[in-house]
Amino acid sequence: MNAPLILAWELTKACNLNCLHCRAKASPDRDINELTTEEGKGLLKELSALGTKMVILSGGEALIRNDALYLAGFGTSLGLRMTLATNGSMVSNEIAREIKDSGISRVSISLDGISPLIHDNFRGRPGAFDMALRGVDNLRSAGMAVQINTTVAAVNVSQMQMFPDFIKKLGAVAWHVFFLVPTGRGHDMEPAAVQEYKSMLTGFLDVYNSGEIECKATCAPQFYRMMKESGMKPVTKGCLAGDAFGFVSSTGDVQPCGFLDIKCGNVKKKAFLRYLEGIRCPCKVEGLMPS
């Protein structure tokens, strides 16, 4: 690996929601040590030169930074495929048009339930569900491709079978499910039972095979084993951390993944290139997986 094919950059840990599963333990306030606009431009220049193909601008809530779309446009000008991960609450019609103009190719909006009852509880704010749906509508009106991200846990696993039809009605182009990882505030959430997860993934595989909507399972390597057992050829091994995927925190820490809190250095101190060996095969380096 000369560079991660995909890099997630946590623009900020600040957020206007209070999600139960939040990896970043986001709060309303921005960190004074966040990468500056110029430092961010330097990171994007380096990623482009190294051969990274896609950058995900995330948070917290990325749109809290007033330079988020400027940075997206700058990355686009370098030939990077820029994408945005948001909770959708700040995506007005005007912001949706600015997102389109920045060159962002796809926006993912998180929806963890098909009704306010579950989603608002998951996201820690009344009205979060309606704000997310409004964001989806505004983006689609602006001509943007929208992806729905769903974190699966005990509280919402029973709704997963209803998501495909719900997502089609929204006009989204993709559904990506994320299995709950017990990091950050996620430590206090209850995961679904093993059999519930297995049943959910069996249904997810059926949706995947139907070809009606793009599907991807993240932090669920067992899904790719299930694909192989059903005679399909998995497109990846399931977990890309430190292999084809990398992560840079809001303050510049380099990690194999946002869910794998192994700090390999900081881009404020050294160029990103200096850390590529450190993020390669981190599980083996740390003794977390057998060689």
Side-chain angles (χ1 to χ4, degrees):
M1 182 180 69
N2 294 321
L5 294 176
I6 303 171
L7 182 116
W9 174 16
E10 175 192 67
L11 284 181
T12 181
K13 279 191 176 181
C15 190
N16 57 348
L17 302 186
N18 189 33
C19 303
L20 297 177
H21 68 302
C22 185
R23 166 202 60 77
K25 293 184 179 179
S27 66
D29 301 318
R30 291 179 58 183
D31 191 318
I32 60 172
N33 296 311
E34 285 176 1
L35 294 181
T36 65
T37 301
E38 289 306 309
E39 287 170 335
K41 287 170 66 176
L43 173 62
L44 292 171
K45 285 180 182 177
E46 192 173 4
L47 292 171
S48 176
L50 288 170
T52 293
K53 302 301 181 185
M54 184 170 82
V55 175
I56 305 168
L57 300 177
S58 69
E61 171 49 54
L63 291 174
I64 283 179
R65 278 189 63 145
N66 57 16
D67 61 352
L69 299 183
Y70 169 77
L71 289 165
F74 184 78
T76 299
S77 73
L78 297 173
L80 293 165
R81 183 188 179 202
M82 303 299 293
T83 63
L84 172 69
T86 174
N87 60 44
S89 64
M90 298 178 67
V91 184
S92 63
N93 277 313
E94 180 182 359
I95 293 296
R97 289 192 293 270
E98 291 178 10
I99 289 172
K100 177 71 173 179
D101 292 342
S102 74
I104 285 174
S105 60
R106 180 181 290 190
V107 178
S108 65
I109 288 186
S110 296
L111 280 169
D112 302 304
I114 63 168
S115 65
L117 181 63
I118 288 183
H119 181 80
D120 288 2
N121 177 62
F122 212 105
R123 295 281 154 178
R125 179 175 172 179
F129 182 77
D130 291 335
M131 289 188 289
L133 293 192
R134 206 158 40 238
V136 171
D137 286 341
N138 291 339
L139 287 164
R140 290 197 62 230
S141 295
M144 286 299 307
V146 179
Q147 168 185 312
I148 300 301
N149 288 351
T150 304
T151 297
V152 187
V155 69
N156 65 349
V157 67
S158 63
Q159 289 203 339
M160 291 304 108
Q161 61 184 338
M162 296 178 274
F163 258 89
D165 287 340
F166 175 62
I167 289 170
K168 290 175 199 172
K169 288 179 182 177
L170 292 178
V173 300
W175 182 31
H176 288 200
V177 295
F178 293 71
F179 275 38
L180 177 67
V181 178
T183 58
R185 288 199 288 266
H187 272 297
D188 300 323
M189 280 200 79
E190 181 184 356
V194 172
Q195 284 304 119
E196 289 179 313
Y197 272 140
K198 183 177 180 180
S199 177
M200 179 265 157
L201 281 177
T202 299
F204 190 73
L205 184 59
D206 291 338
V207 178
Y208 182 98
N209 284 330
S210 74
E212 293 182 5
I213 187 168
E214 175 196 311
C215 294
K216 183 182 177 184
T218 297
C219 298
Q222 64 270 46
F223 179 66
Y224 298 90
R225 172 183 54 78
M226 292 170 65
M227 291 177 69
K228 188 173 182 179
E229 290 174 348
S230 67
M232 301 171 63
K233 185 176 181 180
V235 292
T236 75
K237 63 182 180 182
C239 178
L240 303 179
D243 185 357
F245 185 90
F247 174 87
V248 174
S249 78
S250 61
T251 55
D253 288 328
V254 179
Q255 299 176 201
C257 171
F259 295 115
L260 193 57
D261 191 12
I262 299 174
K263 294 179 175 59
C264 307
N266 191 290
V267 297
K268 289 186 176 184
K269 298 177 182 178
K270 293 181 183 178
F272 183 81
L273 177 63
R274 300 288 297 276
Y275 299 115
L276 289 181
E277 284 302 312
I279 71 171
R280 196 170 187 175
C281 302
C283 295
K284 293 180 181 179
V285 171
E286 296 294 320
L288 300 176
M289 290 178 63
S291 298

